[in-house]
């Protein structure tokens, strides 16, 4: 099957905004399925994992494919819970565009901001869909204000709702100037001639003309074609976000949303050339009934069944046994796939997320997706001594599928530690160990990942590494300045002049310094937020080597940190709590007891920065303090000095 027009799109949102329901309705509207699945019934296509169906949330990004308006669309339904944000990162790396879903009542929520910022990092064009307009309290104008204020972009609504809340019937399309209503699953259209529609169309034209020269030239009589082109170009430049609305659950607004995705979002960008040399990026590895599946986005060239490809990062060859087109947990074998497409491959032995596949004759390295640092750890132990090695193997395989999971052994206790992005993330991973492998395990109390950083540095710190044990000696002399780095993790630079430390030795010093960051002097936590400058040094004609200078960098920085003023950092989360007005006092008092820093509060909502360690079990406590009426959302907000 040769695909001429491929689009790789994603659906992004905060948890419970309706992403998975929207995906179900899209599959139904395009004829990819013949029955609408429901999240609450556990019958959706993309939430096929038993844990997803039991919990009613998306845990793993799932890909589906369908045709619309002559295009072949690969659509990725991403998780909305903060603990699974790494799945969103890996998906965004390979997408050409995205639909960001907002709750028509809640507007921009914490994870909405996080996924929006992630899409900014990868330069992914977006349109917005305001969902759940049939719910009590839904307000399109309030959501538009929320988008403007919270995300810092200009929302341009290209639709108006017809009816409110229970009376929501459809939308007015301000580009085509038609009314779209849905009754009993049937779409009906008629021209939009109301004064409200004409006024809104004029306002839309004026807003676009302020930002687009082509629309400005036609101001007063902007054609539909010019308006669509202008909105497409503004979407790609990032100056505005096109906003549509509807109710996915009621199956209202799906077809015009698909049309907007075709009109305003990208096809694969420059470099997609089916006749060029292969360049493909692995963005996901998943266990399935077919074995190990390797998901790839092809940027250049063609992959064929039986091809031998080059893993540019690992420096090894891999053979493609099968090529599969993806429909969540169902797959269709194809003989080949071309530039622009997303497919799953079988037969790969070692390729992991971030691996570039290419030809050995024309190697290339594509940018890898960013992997978040783990924030929470638990000790995991096999109940039977005979299962210890098997547990290690199972956890290693889990971490291969999810790079945001890290497995290590505590050098002091010998315990296996599993680290992840949050309490739920680890809970899901441990449950997968139990159900998929049948292992009986015990789990310790969650522990957060602390960091250490510099408050006051040192200058001119001298370290000499001299070693003589009968054979060739080691000599390295370095002088280091260590200073705080408010924005960033670690920077290294050399200010050495006159060739006193050769370039290859400078690189070795940097490598040694990076090794020293693994354990700080206060509590053995990873060190972050510092700049190290190599200001001087000296060599020996016989005993200096890269190994000696690497050791000097490692031991020298460790000693320098002992002389610095250091502080321990703890991870914090931005928590937004919603509760009845009469329970807000109890909520505020509880947050204060948890060392929370209040950012803002209103009659029913409180937002605070709270140490992550204080949030374990918070959901249960909140329900207790609010008689079951309180809810909260959270997102990672970096680190701050521990109390």
């Amino acid at each position: 099957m040769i695909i001429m027009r491929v689009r790789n799109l994603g659906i992004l949102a905060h948890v419970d905004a309706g992403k998975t329901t929207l995906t179900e309705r899209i599959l139904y509207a395009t004829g990819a399925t013949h029955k609408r699945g429901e999240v609450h019934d556990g019958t959706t296509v993309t939430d096929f994992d038993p844990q997803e169906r039991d919990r009613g949330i998306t845990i793993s990004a799932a890909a589906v494919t369908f045709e619309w308006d002559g295009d072949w669309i690969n659509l990725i339904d991403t998780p909305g819970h903060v603990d699974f944000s790494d799945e969103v990162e890996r998906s965004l790396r390979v997408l050409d565009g995205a639909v960001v879903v907002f709750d028509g009542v809640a507007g921009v929520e914490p994870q909405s901001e996080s996924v929006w910022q992630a899409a900014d990092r990868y330069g992914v064009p977006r349109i917005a869909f305001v969902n759940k307009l049939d719910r009590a309290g839904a307000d399109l104008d309030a959501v538009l204000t929320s988008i403007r204020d919270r995300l810092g972009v200009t929302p341009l609504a290209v639709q108006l709702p017809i009816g409110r809340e229970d009376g929501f019937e459809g939308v007015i399309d301000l580009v085509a100037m038609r009314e779209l209503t849905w009754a009993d699953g049937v779409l009906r259209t008629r021209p939009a001639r109301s004064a409200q529609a004409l006024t809104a169309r004029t306002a839309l034209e004026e807003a676009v003309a302020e930002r687009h020269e082509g629309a400005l030239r036609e101001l007063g009589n902007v054609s539909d074609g010019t308006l669509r082109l202008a909105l497409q170009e503004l979407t790609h430049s990032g100056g505005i976000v096109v906003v549509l609305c509807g109710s996915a659950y009621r199956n209202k607004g799906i077809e015009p949303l698909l049309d907007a995705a075709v009109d305003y979002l990208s096809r694969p960008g420059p470099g997609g050339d089916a006749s060029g040399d292969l360049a493909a990026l692995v963005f996901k590895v998943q266990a399935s009934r077919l074995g190990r599946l390797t998901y790839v986005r092809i940027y250049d060239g063609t992959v064929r069944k039986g091809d031998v490809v080059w893993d540019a990062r690992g420096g090894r060859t891999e053979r493609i046994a099968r090529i599969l087109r993806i429909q969540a947990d169902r797959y269709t074998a194809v003989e080949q796939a071309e530039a622009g497409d997303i497919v799953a491959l079988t037969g790969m032995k070692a390729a992991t997320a971030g691996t570039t596949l290419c030809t050995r004759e024309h190697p290339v390295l594509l940018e890898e997706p960013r992997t978040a640092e783990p924030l929470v750890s638990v000790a995991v132990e096999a109940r039977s001594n005979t299962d210890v090695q098997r547990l290690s193997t199972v956890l290693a395989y889990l971490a291969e599928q999810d790079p945001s999971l890290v497995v290590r052994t505590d050098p002091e206790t010998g315990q296996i530690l599993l680290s992840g992005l949050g309490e739920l993330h680890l809970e899901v991973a441990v449950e997968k160990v139990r159900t998929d492998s049948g292992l009986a395990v015990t789990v310790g109390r969650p522990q957060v990942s602390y960091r250490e950083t510099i408050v006051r540095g040192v200058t001119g710190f001298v370290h000499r590494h001299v070693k003589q044990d009968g054979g060739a000696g080691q000599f390295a002399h370095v002088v280091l300045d260590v200073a705080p780095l408010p924005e960033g993790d670690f920077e290294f630079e050399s200010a050495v002049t006159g060739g006193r430390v050769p370039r290859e030795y400078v690189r070795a010093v940097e490598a040694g310094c990076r090794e020293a960051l693994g354990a700080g002097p206060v509590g053995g936590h990873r060190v972050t937020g510092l700049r190290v400058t190599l200001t001087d040094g000296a060599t020996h004609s016989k005993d200096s080597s890269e190994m000696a200078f690497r050791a000097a960098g490692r031991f020298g920085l460790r000693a320098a940190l002992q002389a610095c003023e250091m502080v321990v950092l703890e991870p914090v989360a931005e928590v937004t709590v919603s509760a009845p007005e009469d329970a807000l006092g109890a909520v505020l008092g509880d947050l204060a007891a948890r060392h929370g820093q209040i950012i803002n509060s209103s009659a029913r909502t409180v937002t605070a920065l709270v140490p992550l360690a204080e949030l374990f079990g918070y959901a249960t406590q909140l329900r207790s303090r609010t008689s079951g009426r309180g809810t909260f959302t959270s997102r990672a907000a970096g680190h701050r000095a521990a109390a």
Side-chain angles (χ1 to χ4, degrees):
M1 180 179 180
I2 296 178
I3 301 196
M4 300 305 295
R5 298 194 299 177
V6 181
R7 297 175 185 269
N8 299 305
L9 307 179
I11 296 187
L12 316 173
H14 185 90
V15 66
D16 288 336
K19 298 179 315 308
T20 300
T21 299
L22 178 59
T23 302
E24 285 295 315
R25 301 308 186 257
I26 287 173
L27 292 174
Y28 183 75
T30 58
T33 60
H34 302 290
K35 183 180 179 181
R36 289 173 289 186
E38 304 294 351
V39 172
H40 55 267
D41 292 335
T43 56
T44 59
V45 171
T46 52
D47 284 353
F48 55 84
D49 183 274
Q51 285 204 70
E52 291 178 315
R53 294 184 170 180
D54 290 345
R55 298 174 186 273
I57 61 170
T58 300
I59 292 171
S60 178
V64 292
T65 56
F66 54 86
E67 291 184 73
W68 183 258
D69 195 27
D71 284 359
W72 186 266
I73 298 178
N74 297 312
L75 183 70
I76 298 181
D77 176 21
T78 65
H81 196 286
V82 63
D83 281 18
F84 308 105
S85 57
D86 223 50
E87 287 277 325
V88 183
E89 289 276 345
R90 292 194 294 276
S91 299
L92 280 168
R93 174 60 184 86
V94 298
L95 294 178
D96 304 308
V99 177
V100 184
V101 183
F102 298 98
D103 186 309
V105 179
V108 177
E109 299 175 89
Q111 190 63 4
S112 309
E113 292 186 68
S114 297
V115 297
W116 191 273
Q117 292 163 3
D120 279 341
R121 286 195 296 273
Y122 292 102
V124 177
R126 280 142 280 168
I127 60 175
F129 181 71
V130 179
N131 192 23
K132 303 185 179 182
L133 284 189
D134 58 320
R135 287 183 58 200
D139 187 336
L140 176 62
D141 289 336
V143 178
L144 295 176
T145 299
S146 179
I147 291 172
R148 184 181 296 108
D149 294 345
R150 298 284 296 271
L151 302 180
V153 296
T154 301
L156 293 184
V158 297
Q159 294 178 344
L160 296 179
I162 300 173
R164 291 177 60 88
E165 300 179 349
D166 286 345
F168 176 69
E169 297 178 5
V171 299
I172 299 173
D173 181 344
L174 298 177
V175 178
M177 288 303 288
R178 55 182 184 165
E179 292 184 3
L180 310 175
T181 57
W182 289 264
D184 301 322
V186 177
L187 170 61
R188 295 181 173 86
T189 66
R190 67 178 185 180
R193 297 193 178 98
S194 67
Q196 179 195 26
L198 294 172
T199 300
R201 166 67 184 235
T202 299
L204 176 62
E205 290 181 6
E206 291 174 350
V208 171
E210 289 178 5
R211 300 165 174 83
H212 191 274
E213 187 176 340
L216 180 61
R217 286 196 297 266
E218 295 184 16
L219 187 58
N221 190 27
V222 180
S223 68
D224 294 358
T226 297
L227 189 56
R228 282 193 178 88
L229 178 62
L231 289 169
Q232 180 193 66
E233 292 178 355
L234 290 172
T235 296
H236 286 238
S237 68
I240 60 99
V241 56
V242 169
V243 181
L244 300 96
C245 58
S247 167
Y249 182 69
R250 302 295 179 191
N251 210 37
K252 296 177 180 179
I254 308 305
E255 296 90 340
L257 176 63
L258 285 165
D259 290 337
V262 170
D263 287 340
Y264 307 129
L265 297 177
S266 300
R267 290 191 174 92
D273 181 2
S275 63
D277 295 306
L278 177 63
L281 183 70
V282 176
F283 68 96
K284 182 180 177 69
V285 174
Q286 183 181 42
S288 78
R289 65 181 184 278
L290 301 179
R292 188 179 193 268
L293 294 183
T294 303
Y295 288 70
V296 299
R297 161 73 191 267
I298 306 169
Y299 287 91
D300 215 347
T302 301
V303 293
R304 297 176 180 85
K305 178 181 177 181
D307 279 356
V308 175
V309 297
W310 182 248
D311 174 347
R313 184 175 67 177
R316 62 174 73 88
T317 58
E318 295 269 22
R319 184 179 180 277
I320 299 171
R322 300 173 71 190
I323 303 171
L324 304 173
R325 197 158 299 290
I326 314 153
Q327 198 72 351
D329 62 340
R330 302 193 304 273
Y331 315 98
T332 303
V334 295
E335 293 298 311
Q336 68 179 45
E338 300 182 349
D341 209 355
I342 288 177
V343 291
L345 309 177
T346 67
M348 298 279 174
K349 303 296 185 184
T352 57
T355 294
T356 298
L357 302 179
C358 55
T359 63
R360 193 166 190 168
E361 296 75 24
H362 299 93
V364 64
L365 273 175
L366 299 174
E367 179 189 358
E368 299 181 15
R370 193 179 76 163
T371 300
E373 284 191 11
L375 297 173
V376 183
S377 301
V378 291
V380 183
E381 295 181 350
R383 291 184 183 173
S384 170
N385 291 334
T386 59
D387 288 334
V388 172
Q389 185 56 51
R390 186 172 164 222
L391 174 61
S392 297
T393 302
V394 170
L395 289 175
Y397 189 44
L398 263 186
E400 181 183 66
Q401 296 177 65
D402 182 355
S404 59
L405 287 172
V406 174
V407 182
R408 62 186 177 88
T409 301
D410 188 307
E412 294 183 5
T413 65
Q415 289 179 307
I416 297 176
L417 299 180
L418 179 65
S419 303
L421 302 184
E423 195 173 4
L424 180 60
H425 188 206
L426 295 178
E427 184 182 314
V428 167
V430 170
E431 185 62 24
K432 189 174 284 290
V433 170
R434 290 175 174 142
T435 56
D436 292 359
S437 67
L439 283 170
V441 297
T442 56
V443 182
R445 188 179 184 277
Q447 303 289 329
V448 300
S449 298
Y450 293 94
R451 298 285 183 266
E452 296 179 27
T453 195
I454 295 173
V455 176
R456 180 180 53 80
V458 295
T459 58
F461 190 89
V462 177
H463 181 79
R464 290 168 62 87
H465 176 72
V466 181
K467 187 176 181 181
Q468 191 72 47
D469 54 8
Q474 292 185 27
F475 177 89
H477 176 95
V478 295
V479 182
L480 304 174
D481 287 354
V482 183
L485 183 65
E487 299 293 332
D489 182 19
F490 172 73
E491 289 183 6
F492 179 89
E493 59 185 14
S494 172
V496 177
T497 59
R500 290 177 58 81
V501 180
R503 185 176 302 175
E504 62 270 24
Y505 293 171
V506 170
R507 289 195 295 266
V509 173
E510 178 179 0
C513 288
R514 290 186 180 277
E515 292 171 359
L517 300 177
V522 179
H525 312 297
R526 185 176 178 275
V527 182
T528 186
L530 72 161
R531 176 186 289 111
V532 177
T533 304
L534 177 64
T535 60
D536 201 0
T539 63
H540 186 277
S541 58
K542 293 183 179 180
D543 292 343
S544 288
S545 64
E546 289 186 36
M547 182 173 67
F549 272 88
R550 185 167 186 151
R554 181 169 67 254
F555 296 121
L557 182 54
R558 285 181 183 174
L561 291 175
Q562 294 278 0
C564 294
E565 183 181 343
M566 306 286 293
V567 66
V568 173
L569 303 176
E570 63 182 349
V572 295
E574 180 185 297
V575 179
T576 301
V577 183
S578 298
E581 196 169 350
D582 60 0
L584 214 58
V587 169
L588 287 166
D590 187 46
L591 289 173
R594 296 172 187 271
H595 307 290
Q597 175 188 340
I598 306 300
I599 299 175
N600 57 60
S601 64
S602 63
R604 296 177 59 87
T605 305
V606 177
T607 301
L609 288 178
V610 184
L612 191 60
E614 298 286 352
L615 289 178
F616 298 139
Y618 181 59
T620 302
Q621 290 295 321
L622 179 63
R623 284 195 295 269
S624 174
R625 290 180 178 273
T626 61
S627 301
R629 298 172 296 167
T631 61
F632 82 100
T633 60
S634 67
R635 64 168 179 164
H639 288 72
R640 72 177 186 189

